[in-house]
Amino acid sequence: MEYNFREIEQKWQQRWVEQKTYQVAEDSSKKKFYVLNMFPYPSGAGLHVGHPLGYIASDIYARYKRLQGFNVLNPMGYDAYGLPAEQYAIQTGQHPEVTTFQNINRYREQLDKIGFCFDWNREVRTCDPGYYHWTQWAFQKMFNSFYCYKCQSAQPIDSLIKHFEEKGTEGLDVAQSEELTFTAEEWKAMDEKQKSDTLMNYRIAFLAETNVNWCPGLGTVLANDEVVDGVSVRGGFPVEQKKMRQWCLRVSAYAQRLLDGLDTIDWSESIKETQRNWIGRSEGAEVKIKVADSDVEFTIFTTRADTMFGVTFFVLAPESELVDLVTTADQRKAVDDYIKYVKGRTERERMIDHTVTGVFSGAYGINPITGDKCPIYVAEYVLAGYGTGAIMAVPAHDSRDYAFAKHFNLPIIPLIEGADISEESYDAKEGIVMNSPKVEPLSNSPEGEDSLVLNGLTVKEAIAKTKEYITRTGLGRVKVNYRLRDAIFSRQRYWGEPFPVYYKNGIPQMIPEECLPIQLPEVDKFLPTETGEPPLGNATCWAWDEANKQIVENSKIDNQTVFPIELYTMPGFAGSSAYYLRYMDPHNNEALLSKQAAEYWQNVDLYVGGSEHATGHLIYSRFWNKFLYDLGISVKEEPFQKLINQGMIQGRSNFVYRIKDTNTFVSLDKKEGYEVTPIHVDVNIVSADVLDVEAFKAWRPEYHDAEFILNDEGKYICGWAVEKMSKSMFNVVNPDMIVEKFGADTLRLYEMFLGPVEQSKPWDTNGIDGCHRFLKKFWNYMTADTKECDPTAQELKALHTLIKKVTGDIEQFSYNTSIAAFMICLNELTKIKSESKAVKEALAVLIAPFCPHLAEELWEMLGHATTVCDAPWPAFNEEYLKEDNMKMMVAFNGKARFPLEFPVGTEQQTIIDTALQEPQSQKWLEGFNVVKVIVVPGKMINIVLKPA
RNA sequence: GCCGAAAUGGUGGAAUGGUAGACACGAGGGACUUAAAAUCCCUUGGCCAUAACGGCUGUGUGGGUUCGAGUCCCACUUUCGGUACCA
């Protein structure tokens, strides 16, 4: 009987749907296991063979876990909001929802052919109002919360208001944009607008005037992770800095918890390290600096408190408000000119061009420890967004300060013994401190021993000592800074979640929770309005009737009872930040998810996706989950317990070689001596690097009359290279095509056989034959004569070797080696003419995670009426692998020479004696003395020799 | 610059510190066939050697630890990712 994969796969895919094989429900009698793939953005190009890699890997694991008896949740959905659909809409007028739905259908069609065990009943789409209801809801919760450092959690904003009413800001330890101080009386005296503005300083979702990455090409702001090299990730348009009023999320409040949480999860060290760097914790100190001849005082942040004696100037960020306060009259013009210059520079220019620029402000700052007066400069190398936007410059021990000092001819004072600073600064945090004279105790210091002596200490000691000194004397304080910024949460786009917010006299108000979701309105144009408002400004029905609690036409806006609704929409990461929770209870209209579902499914046990989301989605999601955890919605502090980053499948491009100025193409092995241009050729008309010449002629009109110089066998051989898989390289291989030709089971097997899941590797269709041949042989073996007799010892040995290998390998996601084990096992069973039904049944179960269609068909043929998905995973029995003899290698000085067999349990001394007396040993022993013999039971007898 | 991962045949890749190159592709040879496809068998890291056996060498480079290193340690080279005036 032939292996008819088309029939088999179609039959089982249909049956799985009919019998709802993959629908799961909470079942307290079983342990849960939650497998999740990062849901895809359904792009117009459809899936190529690289996309399903992670899905297949997780599908195998999900099926394996189910066979192990777990109740497995393995859902799938779509990250449906995104720029491409909107850009397409702008160009064609086609509503983004239409193209998105088309793309989703195409994705689904492709996915279905591969035979995944997704529970499609739980599908979510971020653009579905039933879904984004909870995105809006979470946003409102964030708006109505602040972050309390004392209790290390988000708290309702009402409790903060109460605190203000009673004590003002006294005794607060909370996350805030800037440090405010006011009394209860002052708070009570504020009007509504002032109160609203003040609360924005504390809310977790808040409005702020911030410097944003403005992308004129896209007409919207972008998050830091959406900008690479000064251009937008989507579209590659230039990005500039602009001050705008934006919704932001106070991600920075969770910086420490995001950092600490990394130690509790099973992710690759490299991705955790990336997140640690992104969070960028740095311990340092803030020091207050008085400006000479002025009342102005500013604060600097430093991690090198030990270098206070090497300060020769101070620097302010150009955007800092302090610049205006310190600049003297005679330097005013120079400073203004410089600031104008800085503003005119794009983000990109600043990134590429690191030449030293800056200007003297005219003012001097006083070093609080030495009392020295040092000039204050304004320079763009100091960033407003980090620390306090002001630094003390120690040119001897900071390369940026060094370059600046050299450029402006400022003094450089070395502070570390033996450091050569004639050519460059000495930045290392090690060495012995010098040049730091004793600082006498201040009059206000308590006990007598209060001087500061740094000379002779190591840098580490000196940092600690200085920090302690400035804290004690009130010159400053110890401070931890994080590089992690608050996330900008609004976009000037159409195709995103609308904000459930309206504006009453400029004060943002939340639309009542019971009115959610508020749905994205229809617009006639997807571009910004003529007055420069975001696309939602085109909506005619986008106003909030407060009394009647409903959306009404804009024309009714009177700012008395009907108010304008927010025109911004939410960014892409809004919908993808908590989708894993929604899968647990996707049809719930009352809540994001029920308590019961949350308690049962907890969090994701295995998350599979690309590492490119390390500083985007994977940070935002962790933040979002921690916030929901504080609210008691999510039951686990970390959303994704184990993370596997699947590698990228690269394309394998093929080339033809056109002889210059002709339409003649020369085969790779004949091209020596010709001047040729390599041209990408569609890999789908090339087979094993041999070009289908007729297909090539038909491929494009300009090749219709092409001529060829073939090799001696009459073939045209193409060159090849590994490149990114993309349309423009003509190297895209479509999974449907592979499924059509070889079947889904072969595709699944081959994708895993290519190499480790986490590794990037090129796709090469050439190798797929091997996997297909294996399945054919497997099929032949399984469908051949079968007897219901006890398996022989040989059969059991082959089988249990396989069980052990496959079980261990799947646990470690080492699928390629377990497939190799299948191939070896099959060879063995064929060789010994195995016919045992019991062995075949076990094999059908073992292969089920990899090739589910085939496994089902075989399971049925073996006489089972139920799905193989619920069969028990075969138990491993060590007994069957036990051998009577152990094979050992005799080695001389570590070099293996010949094998020797001993009965199991042979005495060590007997082994040594036998090995030494073995005739084969004699020639190695000649002329040498035996120093010692090392026996590794079952492996190695190493005889250590020394010349006689 | 900093952080991370990696480097093994013609190719993809295997190897708890114990016979390097499993498994597969490709290639070469053979069987079956009128022929092709399909299928099956043999060979396949390099060098030397043989009637046959065999020997040497070999995991990016240079050191080290060890009876024994692809694997552990130190230094370096290259490649690929991430990040970048973060004080």
Side-chain angles (χ1 to χ4, degrees), chain A residues 270 303 386 400 483 754 756 773 823 939 942:
Chain A
S270 83
T303 55
Y386 185 76
R400 295 151 302 177
R483 206 188 74 117
L754 271 178
R773 269 201 281 267
M823 292 173 174
K939 283 187 177 163
N942 192 13

mmCIF file of all heavy atoms in Angstrom, chain A residues 270 303 386 400 483 754 756 773 823 939 942, chain B residues 4 12-14 16 23 25 67 85-87:
data_model
loop_
_atom_site.group_PDB
_atom_site.id
_atom_site.type_symbol
_atom_site.label_atom_id
_atom_site.label_comp_id
_atom_site.label_asym_id
_atom_site.label_seq_id
_atom_site.Cartn_x
_atom_site.Cartn_y
_atom_site.Cartn_z
ATOM 1 N N SER A 270 21.034 35.335 26.953
ATOM 2 C CA SER A 270 21.293 36.473 26.078
ATOM 3 C C SER A 270 20.105 37.429 26.042
ATOM 4 O O SER A 270 20.275 38.643 26.023
ATOM 5 C CB SER A 270 21.673 35.999 24.680
ATOM 6 O OG SER A 270 20.535 35.715 23.917
ATOM 7 N N THR A 303 27.919 58.153 38.600
ATOM 8 C CA THR A 303 28.189 56.831 39.163
ATOM 9 C C THR A 303 29.601 56.805 39.726
ATOM 10 O O THR A 303 30.028 55.816 40.285
ATOM 11 C CB THR A 303 28.095 55.731 38.084
ATOM 12 O OG1 THR A 303 28.970 56.081 37.013
ATOM 13 C CG2 THR A 303 26.690 55.560 37.581
ATOM 14 N N TYR A 386 18.009 61.559 30.616
ATOM 15 C CA TYR A 386 18.625 60.613 31.543
ATOM 16 C C TYR A 386 19.165 61.338 32.768
ATOM 17 O O TYR A 386 19.733 62.426 32.653
ATOM 18 C CB TYR A 386 19.754 59.839 30.870
ATOM 19 C CG TYR A 386 20.325 58.778 31.780
ATOM 20 C CD1 TYR A 386 19.638 57.597 32.008
ATOM 21 C CD2 TYR A 386 21.531 58.976 32.439
ATOM 22 C CE1 TYR A 386 20.137 56.638 32.863
ATOM 23 C CE2 TYR A 386 22.050 58.015 33.292
ATOM 24 C CZ TYR A 386 21.348 56.844 33.507
ATOM 25 O OH TYR A 386 21.840 55.895 34.354
ATOM 26 N N ARG A 400 34.088 60.783 27.101
ATOM 27 C CA ARG A 400 33.336 61.869 26.465
ATOM 28 C C ARG A 400 33.751 63.219 27.027
ATOM 29 O O ARG A 400 33.942 64.189 26.300
ATOM 30 C CB ARG A 400 31.834 61.649 26.665
ATOM 31 C CG ARG A 400 31.348 60.420 25.970
ATOM 32 C CD ARG A 400 30.175 59.825 26.672
ATOM 33 N NE ARG A 400 30.492 59.498 28.057
ATOM 34 C CZ ARG A 400 29.616 59.009 28.906
ATOM 35 N NH1 ARG A 400 28.385 58.818 28.536
ATOM 36 N NH2 ARG A 400 29.972 58.713 30.148
ATOM 37 N N ARG A 483 17.770 53.325 32.818
ATOM 38 C CA ARG A 483 17.749 53.813 31.443
ATOM 39 C C ARG A 483 16.353 53.653 30.829
ATOM 40 O O ARG A 483 15.981 54.334 29.891
ATOM 41 C CB ARG A 483 18.756 52.993 30.635
ATOM 42 C CG ARG A 483 19.321 53.672 29.436
ATOM 43 C CD ARG A 483 20.134 52.670 28.645
ATOM 44 N NE ARG A 483 19.257 51.748 27.965
ATOM 45 C CZ ARG A 483 19.186 51.643 26.633
ATOM 46 N NH1 ARG A 483 19.969 52.362 25.882
ATOM 47 N NH2 ARG A 483 18.347 50.796 26.082
ATOM 48 N N LEU A 754 16.136 20.257 10.081
ATOM 49 C CA LEU A 754 17.135 21.214 9.572
ATOM 50 C C LEU A 754 18.211 21.554 10.599
ATOM 51 O O LEU A 754 19.339 21.860 10.238
ATOM 52 C CB LEU A 754 16.442 22.519 9.171
ATOM 53 C CG LEU A 754 15.929 22.644 7.747
ATOM 54 C CD1 LEU A 754 15.232 23.972 7.571
ATOM 55 C CD2 LEU A 754 17.063 22.517 6.745
ATOM 56 N N PRO A 756 18.862 22.813 15.148
ATOM 57 C CA PRO A 756 18.248 23.247 16.398
ATOM 58 C C PRO A 756 17.252 24.391 16.169
ATOM 59 O O PRO A 756 17.508 25.285 15.365
ATOM 60 C CB PRO A 756 19.423 23.744 17.227
ATOM 61 C CG PRO A 756 20.623 23.071 16.645
ATOM 62 C CD PRO A 756 20.317 22.884 15.193
ATOM 63 N N ARG A 773 11.413 10.312 2.215
ATOM 64 C CA ARG A 773 11.762 8.890 2.049
ATOM 65 C C ARG A 773 11.590 8.133 3.355
ATOM 66 O O ARG A 773 11.080 7.026 3.367
ATOM 67 C CB ARG A 773 13.228 8.775 1.606
ATOM 68 C CG ARG A 773 13.374 8.757 0.095
ATOM 69 C CD ARG A 773 14.698 8.132 -0.294
ATOM 70 N NE ARG A 773 15.802 9.077 -0.135
ATOM 71 C CZ ARG A 773 16.243 9.859 -1.125
ATOM 72 N NH1 ARG A 773 15.703 9.798 -2.318
ATOM 73 N NH2 ARG A 773 17.237 10.685 -0.924
ATOM 74 N N MET A 823 15.022 7.447 12.530
ATOM 75 C CA MET A 823 15.577 6.854 11.321
ATOM 76 C C MET A 823 16.421 5.628 11.656
ATOM 77 O O MET A 823 16.337 4.594 10.987
ATOM 78 C CB MET A 823 16.418 7.893 10.575
ATOM 79 C CG MET A 823 15.565 9.025 9.996
ATOM 80 S SD MET A 823 16.550 10.334 9.290
ATOM 81 C CE MET A 823 15.267 11.380 8.567
ATOM 82 N N LYS A 939 33.314 2.073 28.975
ATOM 83 C CA LYS A 939 33.749 3.024 27.973
ATOM 84 C C LYS A 939 35.199 2.846 27.540
ATOM 85 O O LYS A 939 35.479 2.647 26.378
ATOM 86 C CB LYS A 939 33.558 4.448 28.506
ATOM 87 C CG LYS A 939 32.106 4.867 28.444
ATOM 88 C CD LYS A 939 31.911 6.321 28.801
ATOM 89 C CE LYS A 939 30.451 6.689 28.652
ATOM 90 N NZ LYS A 939 30.120 7.936 29.345
ATOM 91 N N ASN A 942 42.225 3.214 29.661
ATOM 92 C CA ASN A 942 43.349 4.010 29.175
ATOM 93 C C ASN A 942 44.615 3.582 29.883
ATOM 94 O O ASN A 942 44.745 3.674 31.099
ATOM 95 C CB ASN A 942 43.080 5.501 29.414
ATOM 96 C CG ASN A 942 44.086 6.372 28.672
ATOM 97 O OD1 ASN A 942 44.810 5.880 27.801
ATOM 98 N ND2 ASN A 942 44.137 7.636 29.033
ATOM 99 P P G B 4 28.701 39.438 28.070
ATOM 100 O OP1 G B 4 28.638 38.693 29.338
ATOM 101 O OP2 G B 4 30.000 39.665 27.409
ATOM 102 O "O5'" G B 4 27.753 38.732 27.003
ATOM 103 C "C5'" G B 4 26.459 38.310 27.375
ATOM 104 C "C4'" G B 4 25.668 37.915 26.156
ATOM 105 O "O4'" G B 4 25.717 38.973 25.163
ATOM 106 C "C3'" G B 4 26.178 36.709 25.389
ATOM 107 O "O3'" G B 4 25.843 35.496 26.020
ATOM 108 C "C2'" G B 4 25.485 36.894 24.044
ATOM 109 O "O2'" G B 4 24.122 36.533 24.115
ATOM 110 C "C1'" G B 4 25.588 38.407 23.874
ATOM 111 N N9 G B 4 26.748 38.764 23.038
ATOM 112 C C8 G B 4 27.921 39.366 23.444
ATOM 113 N N7 G B 4 28.759 39.561 22.456
ATOM 114 C C5 G B 4 28.106 39.058 21.342
ATOM 115 C C6 G B 4 28.507 38.993 19.983
ATOM 116 O O6 G B 4 29.566 39.382 19.474
ATOM 117 N N1 G B 4 27.545 38.398 19.177
ATOM 118 C C2 G B 4 26.333 37.927 19.635
ATOM 119 N N2 G B 4 25.537 37.372 18.717
ATOM 120 N N3 G B 4 25.935 37.986 20.897
ATOM 121 C C4 G B 4 26.861 38.560 21.684
ATOM 122 P P G B 12 26.649 24.442 5.908
ATOM 123 O OP1 G B 12 26.527 25.875 6.178
ATOM 124 O OP2 G B 12 27.797 23.665 6.431
ATOM 125 O "O5'" G B 12 25.321 23.719 6.403
ATOM 126 C "C5'" G B 12 24.061 24.219 5.983
ATOM 127 C "C4'" G B 12 22.973 23.384 6.587
ATOM 128 O "O4'" G B 12 23.012 22.047 6.032
ATOM 129 C "C3'" G B 12 23.105 23.136 8.077
ATOM 130 O "O3'" G B 12 22.710 24.260 8.830
ATOM 131 C "C2'" G B 12 22.199 21.926 8.254
ATOM 132 O "O2'" G B 12 20.857 22.297 8.193
ATOM 133 C "C1'" G B 12 22.558 21.114 7.000
ATOM 134 N N9 G B 12 23.634 20.150 7.279
ATOM 135 C C8 G B 12 24.984 20.351 7.138
ATOM 136 N N7 G B 12 25.697 19.318 7.492
ATOM 137 C C5 G B 12 24.765 18.377 7.894
ATOM 138 C C6 G B 12 24.942 17.056 8.387
ATOM 139 O O6 G B 12 25.990 16.435 8.571
ATOM 140 N N1 G B 12 23.715 16.447 8.686
ATOM 141 C C2 G B 12 22.496 17.042 8.514
ATOM 142 N N2 G B 12 21.443 16.308 8.857
ATOM 143 N N3 G B 12 22.312 18.281 8.062
ATOM 144 C C4 G B 12 23.483 18.877 7.766
ATOM 145 P P G B 13 23.305 24.513 10.280
ATOM 146 O OP1 G B 13 22.680 25.725 10.781
ATOM 147 O OP2 G B 13 24.784 24.395 10.237
ATOM 148 O "O5'" G B 13 22.707 23.275 11.077
ATOM 149 C "C5'" G B 13 23.437 22.661 12.127
ATOM 150 C "C4'" G B 13 23.061 21.214 12.174
ATOM 151 O "O4'" G B 13 23.530 20.560 10.964
ATOM 152 C "C3'" G B 13 23.648 20.430 13.335
ATOM 153 O "O3'" G B 13 22.698 20.400 14.384
ATOM 154 C "C2'" G B 13 23.884 19.057 12.747
ATOM 155 O "O2'" G B 13 22.702 18.282 12.750
ATOM 156 C "C1'" G B 13 24.232 19.386 11.288
ATOM 157 N N9 G B 13 25.658 19.639 11.030
ATOM 158 C C8 G B 13 26.205 20.831 10.610
ATOM 159 N N7 G B 13 27.498 20.768 10.432
ATOM 160 C C5 G B 13 27.820 19.460 10.756
ATOM 161 C C6 G B 13 29.068 18.803 10.746
ATOM 162 O O6 G B 13 30.172 19.251 10.447
ATOM 163 N N1 G B 13 28.955 17.479 11.149
ATOM 164 C C2 G B 13 27.775 16.866 11.509
ATOM 165 N N2 G B 13 27.858 15.589 11.857
ATOM 166 N N3 G B 13 26.595 17.462 11.511
ATOM 167 C C4 G B 13 26.696 18.745 11.131
ATOM 168 P P A B 14 23.159 20.255 15.881
ATOM 169 O OP1 A B 14 22.075 20.759 16.700
ATOM 170 O OP2 A B 14 24.535 20.740 16.121
ATOM 171 O "O5'" A B 14 23.108 18.692 16.004
ATOM 172 C "C5'" A B 14 24.287 17.990 15.907
ATOM 173 C "C4'" A B 14 24.036 16.560 16.188
ATOM 174 O "O4'" A B 14 24.655 15.800 15.158
ATOM 175 C "C3'" A B 14 24.689 16.138 17.499
ATOM 176 O "O3'" A B 14 23.711 16.133 18.506
ATOM 177 C "C2'" A B 14 25.274 14.770 17.174
ATOM 178 O "O2'" A B 14 24.315 13.744 17.324
ATOM 179 C "C1'" A B 14 25.619 14.922 15.695
ATOM 180 N N9 A B 14 26.948 15.479 15.432
ATOM 181 C C8 A B 14 27.256 16.736 14.954
ATOM 182 N N7 A B 14 28.544 16.936 14.772
ATOM 183 C C5 A B 14 29.114 15.738 15.159
ATOM 184 C C6 A B 14 30.447 15.291 15.200
ATOM 185 N N6 A B 14 31.481 16.041 14.847
ATOM 186 N N1 A B 14 30.670 14.036 15.639
ATOM 187 C C2 A B 14 29.632 13.285 16.003
ATOM 188 N N3 A B 14 28.337 13.580 16.005
ATOM 189 C C4 A B 14 28.145 14.839 15.568
ATOM 190 P P U B 16 27.024 14.933 24.255
ATOM 191 O OP1 U B 16 25.920 13.992 24.530
ATOM 192 O OP2 U B 16 26.713 16.203 23.612
ATOM 193 O "O5'" U B 16 27.767 15.212 25.611
ATOM 194 C "C5'" U B 16 27.794 14.184 26.585
ATOM 195 C "C4'" U B 16 27.293 14.730 27.886
ATOM 196 O "O4'" U B 16 26.538 13.686 28.552
ATOM 197 C "C3'" U B 16 28.420 15.086 28.858
ATOM 198 O "O3'" U B 16 28.811 16.447 28.671
ATOM 199 C "C2'" U B 16 27.784 14.820 30.208
ATOM 200 O "O2'" U B 16 26.908 15.860 30.577
ATOM 201 C "C1'" U B 16 26.950 13.578 29.902
ATOM 202 N N1 U B 16 27.712 12.314 30.041
ATOM 203 C C2 U B 16 28.109 11.902 31.309
ATOM 204 O O2 U B 16 27.873 12.541 32.313
ATOM 205 N N3 U B 16 28.826 10.741 31.337
ATOM 206 C C4 U B 16 29.172 9.928 30.279
ATOM 207 O O4 U B 16 29.805 8.892 30.465
ATOM 208 C C5 U B 16 28.716 10.398 29.008
ATOM 209 C C6 U B 16 28.033 11.539 28.938
ATOM 210 P P C B 23 24.466 6.992 10.893
ATOM 211 O OP1 C B 23 23.952 5.607 10.937
ATOM 212 O OP2 C B 23 25.533 7.368 9.955
ATOM 213 O "O5'" C B 23 23.241 7.988 10.666
ATOM 214 C "C5'" C B 23 22.024 7.819 11.378
ATOM 215 C "C4'" C B 23 21.103 8.982 11.118
ATOM 216 O "O4'" C B 23 21.646 10.180 11.741
ATOM 217 C "C3'" C B 23 20.979 9.394 9.647
ATOM 218 O "O3'" C B 23 20.071 8.575 8.940
ATOM 219 C "C2'" C B 23 20.492 10.833 9.778
ATOM 220 O "O2'" C B 23 19.144 10.885 10.165
ATOM 221 C "C1'" C B 23 21.363 11.311 10.933
ATOM 222 N N1 C B 23 22.642 11.883 10.457
ATOM 223 C C2 C B 23 22.667 13.222 10.047
ATOM 224 O O2 C B 23 21.620 13.875 10.098
ATOM 225 N N3 C B 23 23.831 13.754 9.589
ATOM 226 C C4 C B 23 24.927 13.004 9.536
ATOM 227 N N4 C B 23 26.044 13.571 9.085
ATOM 228 C C5 C B 23 24.935 11.634 9.946
ATOM 229 C C6 C B 23 23.777 11.116 10.393
ATOM 230 P P C B 25 19.259 11.164 2.310
ATOM 231 O OP1 C B 25 18.144 10.670 1.485
ATOM 232 O OP2 C B 25 20.466 10.329 2.509
ATOM 233 O "O5'" C B 25 19.744 12.573 1.728
ATOM 234 C "C5'" C B 25 18.790 13.578 1.447
ATOM 235 C "C4'" C B 25 19.493 14.861 1.107
ATOM 236 O "O4'" C B 25 20.400 15.222 2.183
ATOM 237 C "C3'" C B 25 20.398 14.819 -0.107
ATOM 238 O "O3'" C B 25 19.667 14.888 -1.313
ATOM 239 C "C2'" C B 25 21.256 16.044 0.136
ATOM 240 O "O2'" C B 25 20.539 17.233 -0.131
ATOM 241 C "C1'" C B 25 21.504 15.939 1.640
ATOM 242 N N1 C B 25 22.751 15.208 1.934
ATOM 243 C C2 C B 25 23.981 15.863 1.703
ATOM 244 O O2 C B 25 23.957 17.033 1.268
ATOM 245 N N3 C B 25 25.137 15.224 1.947
ATOM 246 C C4 C B 25 25.117 13.972 2.407
ATOM 247 N N4 C B 25 26.288 13.380 2.638
ATOM 248 C C5 C B 25 23.891 13.275 2.649
ATOM 249 C C6 C B 25 22.747 13.929 2.406
ATOM 250 P P C B 67 46.837 13.713 34.973
ATOM 251 O OP1 C B 67 46.684 12.762 36.090
ATOM 252 O OP2 C B 67 47.967 14.664 34.931
ATOM 253 O "O5'" C B 67 46.857 12.882 33.608
ATOM 254 C "C5'" C B 67 48.004 12.103 33.272
ATOM 255 C "C4'" C B 67 47.638 11.137 32.174
ATOM 256 O "O4'" C B 67 46.787 10.094 32.708
ATOM 257 C "C3'" C B 67 46.815 11.734 31.043
ATOM 258 O "O3'" C B 67 47.641 12.370 30.089
ATOM 259 C "C2'" C B 67 46.113 10.518 30.475
ATOM 260 O "O2'" C B 67 46.950 9.753 29.648
ATOM 261 C "C1'" C B 67 45.814 9.719 31.746
ATOM 262 N N1 C B 67 44.475 10.006 32.305
ATOM 263 C C2 C B 67 43.336 9.513 31.635
ATOM 264 O O2 C B 67 43.481 8.881 30.592
ATOM 265 N N3 C B 67 42.114 9.766 32.154
ATOM 266 C C4 C B 67 41.990 10.451 33.286
ATOM 267 N N4 C B 67 40.776 10.657 33.753
ATOM 268 C C5 C B 67 43.119 10.960 33.976
ATOM 269 C C6 C B 67 44.341 10.724 33.460
ATOM 270 P P C B 85 23.440 57.354 21.957
ATOM 271 O OP1 C B 85 22.069 57.749 21.596
ATOM 272 O OP2 C B 85 24.510 57.360 20.952
ATOM 273 O "O5'" C B 85 23.901 58.208 23.251
ATOM 274 C "C5'" C B 85 24.533 57.507 24.282
ATOM 275 C "C4'" C B 85 25.981 57.985 24.445
ATOM 276 O "O4'" C B 85 26.394 58.788 23.319
ATOM 277 C "C3'" C B 85 26.132 58.851 25.680
ATOM 278 O "O3'" C B 85 27.262 58.419 26.395
ATOM 279 C "C2'" C B 85 26.360 60.238 25.124
ATOM 280 O "O2'" C B 85 27.198 60.994 25.943
ATOM 281 C "C1'" C B 85 27.067 59.930 23.807
ATOM 282 N N1 C B 85 26.952 60.995 22.823
ATOM 283 C C2 C B 85 28.125 61.596 22.355
ATOM 284 O O2 C B 85 29.215 61.209 22.778
ATOM 285 N N3 C B 85 28.016 62.593 21.443
ATOM 286 C C4 C B 85 26.824 62.988 21.005
ATOM 287 N N4 C B 85 26.780 63.943 20.107
ATOM 288 C C5 C B 85 25.617 62.387 21.480
ATOM 289 C C6 C B 85 25.726 61.405 22.385
ATOM 290 P P C B 86 27.261 57.063 27.266
ATOM 291 O OP1 C B 86 28.436 57.186 28.117
ATOM 292 O OP2 C B 86 27.069 55.899 26.396
ATOM 293 O "O5'" C B 86 25.949 57.176 28.179
ATOM 294 C "C5'" C B 86 25.944 57.965 29.370
ATOM 295 C "C4'" C B 86 24.955 57.352 30.339
ATOM 296 O "O4'" C B 86 23.629 57.698 29.920
ATOM 297 C "C3'" C B 86 25.038 55.820 30.379
ATOM 298 O "O3'" C B 86 25.335 55.297 31.629
ATOM 299 C "C2'" C B 86 23.732 55.315 29.725
ATOM 300 O "O2'" C B 86 23.159 54.256 30.343
ATOM 301 C "C1'" C B 86 22.825 56.552 29.761
ATOM 302 N N1 C B 86 22.073 56.677 28.509
ATOM 303 C C2 C B 86 20.682 56.528 28.541
ATOM 304 O O2 C B 86 20.136 56.305 29.629
ATOM 305 N N3 C B 86 19.985 56.629 27.395
ATOM 306 C C4 C B 86 20.615 56.868 26.249
ATOM 307 N N4 C B 86 19.890 56.960 25.148
ATOM 308 C C5 C B 86 22.001 57.013 26.197
ATOM 309 C C6 C B 86 22.692 56.905 27.345
ATOM 310 P P A B 87 25.620 55.234 32.837
ATOM 311 O OP1 A B 87 26.181 54.011 33.362
ATOM 312 O OP2 A B 87 24.332 55.755 33.279
ATOM 313 O "O5'" A B 87 26.756 56.326 33.079
ATOM 314 C "C5'" A B 87 26.785 56.999 34.299
ATOM 315 C "C4'" A B 87 27.680 58.190 34.171
ATOM 316 O "O4'" A B 87 27.434 58.842 32.906
ATOM 317 C "C3'" A B 87 27.442 59.282 35.216
ATOM 318 O "O3'" A B 87 28.119 59.014 36.427
ATOM 319 C "C2'" A B 87 27.937 60.511 34.520
ATOM 320 O "O2'" A B 87 29.327 60.593 34.587
ATOM 321 C "C1'" A B 87 27.493 60.248 33.081
ATOM 322 N N9 A B 87 26.171 60.815 32.795
ATOM 323 C C8 A B 87 25.100 60.975 33.646
ATOM 324 N N7 A B 87 24.054 61.514 33.089
ATOM 325 C C5 A B 87 24.458 61.724 31.784
ATOM 326 C C6 A B 87 23.793 62.282 30.685
ATOM 327 N N6 A B 87 22.550 62.731 30.727
ATOM 328 N N1 A B 87 24.457 62.356 29.525
ATOM 329 C C2 A B 87 25.716 61.906 29.478
ATOM 330 N N3 A B 87 26.458 61.355 30.453
ATOM 331 C C4 A B 87 25.752 61.294 31.591
#
